[in-house]
Amino acid sequence: RRGGGKDYEKTPPRRTAGSFVDVTGKPYVEVDTFVPQFDEIGVLPPIGRWDPLQIREQGPERYRRFVEMEIKHGRIAMAAVTHVLVTANFKWDGYCSYLSFPPLKFEDIPAGTLGSWAALPQAGWAQIVAIVAILDNSLFAQDPNLEPGDVVGDRIPWVRYDDPEVKFFKLNAER
């Protein structure tokens, strides 16, 4: 027994990542969250890989899912910022909704996130959510055989970087 009266010999051993394989195909290694490691795309100084919840140790499938979600949420955030910037400077001509009374024109929708959220009818938001969900589960569905975030495969002509150094630089600079 050591301080505090706890019997450390009866404490179960810490779960290790032993036989897991990483998203990149490399074997898992035990991770110390306090030692900066720069072994993945998007892991940059000064923090390095910071995993206080130890998601990486919970298995490659769970870790990959979190990587995919991080990329997806980043893309949604970029679309939201684009919405705010574009609606502040540009309005379409015509009607957004004929079903509301009085009919709603695009120029009547205020710029910004909260103003446009309140002004657009609920049916309009339902259509936006439905289109995003359909695209996310069909055309832009994540293929488990492709890298996380590569959702288009060869169906859409997309910029690809064959040189690993250029790809590493671009993904770290633009992610």
Side-chain angles (χ1 to χ4, degrees):
R1 290 181 183 240
R2 291 182 242 171
K6 186 172 181 180
D7 191 357
Y8 284 93
E9 281 132 25
K10 292 184 180 176
T11 304
R14 186 172 177 211
R15 197 179 82 185
T16 62
S19 63
F20 289 133
V21 176
D22 196 354
V23 173
T24 61
K26 295 182 272 187
Y28 258 36
V29 293
E30 198 59 37
V31 178
D32 183 356
T33 57
F34 296 107
V35 177
Q37 295 184 13
F38 311 106
D39 58 346
E40 294 180 27
I41 291 174
V43 177
L44 300 171
I47 296 175
R49 185 183 339 120
W50 188 63
D51 188 11
L53 300 177
Q54 298 178 340
I55 294 169
R56 188 177 166 97
E57 293 180 3
Q58 296 172 10
E61 294 86 15
R62 184 164 168 81
Y63 178 68
R64 180 183 168 105
R65 180 72 176 147
F66 273 87
V67 170
E68 292 170 1
M69 289 288 96
E70 176 188 10
I71 294 168
K72 186 178 293 188
H73 290 144
R75 289 175 177 165
I76 290 172
M78 288 186 280
V81 168
T82 302
H83 158 77
V84 170
L85 296 175
V86 169
T87 58
N89 299 306
F90 175 77
K91 299 286 185 179
W92 290 11
D93 292 332
Y95 289 92
C96 176
S97 173
Y98 286 111
L99 300 176
S100 61
F101 183 79
L104 182 64
K105 291 185 176 185
F106 283 107
E107 62 191 31
D108 296 337
I109 299 175
T113 308
L114 297 178
S116 62
W117 181 271
L120 195 63
Q122 290 181 352
W125 284 114
Q127 291 173 10
I128 292 170
V129 169
I131 287 172
V132 169
I134 289 168
L135 289 174
D136 186 44
N137 290 309
S138 60
L139 184 62
F140 296 119
Q142 177 68 54
D143 183 353
N145 298 322
L146 297 175
E147 292 183 30
D150 187 359
V151 294
V152 296
D154 295 328
R155 297 177 300 224
I156 298 174
W158 215 257
V159 175
R160 302 275 191 245
Y161 300 104
D162 295 327
D163 183 10
E165 290 182 21
V166 172
K167 180 178 181 178
F168 185 79
F169 172 77
K170 291 294 232 174
L171 288 175
N172 276 322
E174 298 169 0
R175 183 174 181 188

